Amino acid sequence: MLSLCQYADEMNVLIVNTSEKSGGAAVAAGRLVEALNCSGVKAKMAVMNKETGSFTVVGTQTSLQRKKNFLAERLGIFFHLHFSKNHLFDIDNASHGTDITGLREFQEADIIHFHWINQGMLSLKNIRAILRSGKKVVWTMHDIWPATSICHVTLDCTRFHTGCNHCPLLPGGGSEHDLSAKTWKRKQKLLNEYKINFVTCSNWLSSEASKSALLKKQSIVSIPNPIDNKKFAPQDKNSARRIAGLPTDKRLILFAAQRVTNKYKGMDYLMEACRKMAERHPEMLKNTGVVILGGSADELRDSFTFPVYPISYISDEKKMAVLYNSADIFVLPSLSENLPNTIMEAMSCGVPCVGFNVGGIPEEIDHKQNGYVAEYKSADDLAAGMYWVLHESDYQQLSSNAVSKVASHYSQRSVAMKYIDVYERTLKNK
């Protein structure tokens, strides 16, 4: 029998993701392309909007097609929301997309590997065409959407365990035959007919996905996202701060998100935790600052007890590594998370992290070993965790442990080998 590495040399994989660069799924998908190519697999990426000149990335839609698909899908959802903007971007029903089966890269591929494919990239009709073509499909879940009807975050809702309807994201709590019920039936028919090997980025999401009535006949395994720990590595903190234009005389708390006002990222809890920290330890007011990285960061300049240093969203990994190294601590108080790239990146730079005990966060942060896992939705414990890391812990040991954890669990080579194993098993299944 061929070894994994021998088999990989003959394998072509096409990774499909909505964006090339924007968002956590895009970052993870791009890193996987790099990791696979470094491990002998011929991997390329198909995206709705090609943003770079990379020869491993192919665009699937023209600017006009992108706008048409995006607007058509949003208008349909807007209608189902009774023309309210509430939850307009919390819902996807995959009604519009582009047929990619005619792409040369698609025809050459042995494996079609979906990542995040919403907002006009692939419709359910497009997915059916891909499966009907006979191509083997692997689907990495970056959120719960493939296992639910229309939502990306379930929070306390468990309707997807049996079948979605009466959706709480729809006006009046939806109905028996609402958009979620109709989309559920379309997904159910598709998944009853075809086999897909699902991959989750965390054990937590794997556990949640296995509860879905949609995926009861599907294979689900857990593989973390990869990271290049040569790009994200410890640097001299003062030098990093000078490059980033940040003060060298303060303890800096870093928060980062694509859109910092996204309620699921927990900004309100971070603000409240900082207020509580300042009340309990007023001496921190003179030597502590908060760096907020992401879209709409400037809107929060006056919202914190401590001085705020807002930085617009960036995707350049070298600049991101400098910003992580500028921080003394990285905090992500998300209310729902899979396996955040940001925590992994910060840890790889030797920055201890604090986050809530939710999703895949406690799989990354080992409590009081390389950071602090706070009680879910507790601003009090979040404040206690930040203070402990900054002033009470053996900081150098935390930093060293963080770097070691990433190197041992999330390296490109180890993640690529796990995916090659999934691809091999997928190709063998008839």
Side-chain angles (χ1 to χ4, degrees):
M1 180 179 289
L2 293 173
S3 70
L4 280 180
C5 291
Q6 289 172 319
Y7 196 87
D9 288 337
E10 302 175 1
M11 194 183 300
N12 284 274
V13 176
L14 181 64
I15 288 177
V16 184
N17 195 74
T18 298
S19 172
E20 181 181 356
K21 289 290 184 180
S22 299
V27 170
R31 288 175 181 169
L32 182 57
V33 169
E34 183 179 351
L36 290 171
N37 280 313
C38 288
S39 301
V41 172
K42 297 178 179 67
K44 291 189 175 181
M45 188 172 173
V47 299
M48 189 163 66
N49 180 22
K50 181 176 169 66
E51 301 173 58
T52 71
S54 173
F55 71 93
T56 62
V57 180
V58 57
T60 63
Q61 300 179 19
T62 65
S63 177
L64 182 61
Q65 286 175 321
R66 289 197 302 273
K67 291 176 181 177
K68 181 181 177 181
N69 287 335
F70 179 80
L71 289 174
E73 185 168 271
R74 287 310 107 186
L75 284 171
I77 291 171
F78 194 41
F79 171 80
H80 284 282
L81 291 173
H82 298 173
F83 306 105
S84 168
K85 291 184 179 180
N86 289 336
H87 305 303
L88 182 58
F89 293 98
D90 297 332
I91 291 172
D92 276 297
N93 65 340
S95 61
H96 289 74
T98 297
D99 182 4
I100 66 170
T101 58
L103 288 174
R104 176 176 58 83
E105 290 80 4
F106 177 90
Q107 295 166 1
E108 292 176 349
D110 302 298
I111 297 284
I112 306 301
H113 187 168
F114 299 155
H115 282 250
W116 201 88
I117 48 80
N118 297 114
Q119 295 192 357
M121 177 65 198
L122 294 180
S123 66
L124 293 179
K125 181 180 178 180
N126 299 147
I127 294 173
R128 177 177 289 278
I130 290 168
L131 292 165
R132 189 182 292 139
S133 75
K135 294 289 186 181
K136 299 292 186 178
V137 174
V138 172
W139 194 337
T140 292
M141 296 174 58
H142 292 276
D143 58 35
I144 197 68
W145 185 85
T148 68
S149 177
I150 59 176
C151 71
H152 296 272
V153 178
T154 57
L155 295 180
D156 297 326
C157 180
T158 59
R159 286 173 174 81
F160 71 101
H161 293 181
T162 53
C164 289
N165 53 46
H166 292 284
C167 180
L169 296 180
L170 296 173
S175 67
E176 187 71 23
H177 303 289
D178 61 16
L179 180 64
S180 70
K182 293 174 182 177
T183 306
W184 178 275
K185 288 179 181 178
R186 294 179 66 208
K187 283 187 171 182
Q188 188 175 51
K189 184 178 180 181
L190 182 69
L191 291 168
N192 282 343
E193 292 179 28
Y194 295 100
K195 173 75 174 178
I196 296 176
N197 283 303
F198 286 90
V199 177
T200 64
C201 302
S202 67
N203 294 327
W204 165 79
L205 187 57
S206 179
S207 175
E208 289 297 298
S210 66
K211 298 172 186 175
S212 170
L214 283 178
L215 304 189
K216 59 184 179 181
K217 296 181 180 179
Q218 305 294 332
S219 167
I220 305 171
V221 298
S222 179
I223 302 175
N225 294 328
I227 187 171
D228 186 341
N229 53 1
K230 294 180 181 177
K231 291 181 181 177
F232 292 94
Q235 302 173 17
D236 178 74
K237 200 168 294 295
N238 285 334
S239 296
R241 290 185 179 187
R242 283 191 288 270
I243 293 170
L246 294 169
T248 58
D249 60 345
K250 293 183 182 294
R251 296 288 183 92
L252 294 181
I253 300 166
L254 174 62
F255 170 93
Q258 186 174 8
R259 181 167 56 87
V260 301
T261 53
N262 181 341
K263 62 182 179 180
Y264 297 122
K265 294 300 180 181
M267 178 56 72
D268 289 343
Y269 289 93
L270 179 58
M271 288 190 288
E272 179 65 11
C274 286
R275 186 187 66 77
K276 289 177 178 291
M277 238 187 351
E279 284 182 355
R280 297 168 187 168
H281 310 282
E283 71 280 2
M284 292 182 68
L285 290 169
K286 295 181 180 180
N287 61 15
T288 307
V290 180
V291 180
I292 301 177
L293 169 67
S296 303
D298 201 57
E299 295 176 16
L300 301 175
R301 185 183 293 273
D302 301 320
S303 300
F304 279 80
T305 311
F306 302 119
V308 172
Y309 306 94
I311 300 174
S312 298
Y313 177 78
I314 58 175
S315 58
D316 184 274
E317 291 188 337
K318 288 184 178 179
K319 292 180 180 178
M320 282 300 303
V322 169
L323 285 171
Y324 286 123
N325 276 283
S326 299
D328 294 288
I329 182 174
F330 179 78
V331 184
L332 187 65
S334 292
L335 305 185
S336 178
E337 279 289 353
N338 187 3
L339 195 78
N341 290 323
T342 49
I343 287 179
M344 190 186 301
E345 290 163 358
M347 288 175 60
S348 191
C349 292
V351 181
C353 298
V354 177
F356 284 142
N357 187 11
V358 66
I361 288 177
E363 295 174 38
E364 291 179 298
I365 303 174
D366 300 312
H367 186 56
K368 290 193 172 183
Q369 297 299 311
N370 51 39
Y372 190 100
V373 180
E375 180 184 345
Y376 185 54
K377 289 186 176 181
S378 171
D380 273 327
D381 200 26
L382 192 68
M386 288 192 290
Y387 186 81
W388 179 82
V389 170
L390 290 171
H391 297 285
E392 297 177 337
S393 69
D394 182 341
Y395 186 89
Q396 292 304 318
Q397 189 62 55
L398 287 184
S399 177
S400 177
N401 291 346
V403 173
S404 297
K405 173 69 177 281
V406 173
S408 61
H409 286 72
Y410 310 125
S411 72
Q412 287 184 318
R413 180 68 176 171
S414 65
V415 172
M417 288 298 101
K418 290 175 182 178
Y419 267 112
I420 290 170
D421 183 52
V422 171
Y423 297 154
E424 183 181 29
R425 287 188 281 108
T426 300
L427 289 170
K428 287 179 179 178
N429 290 335
K430 295 182 179 180

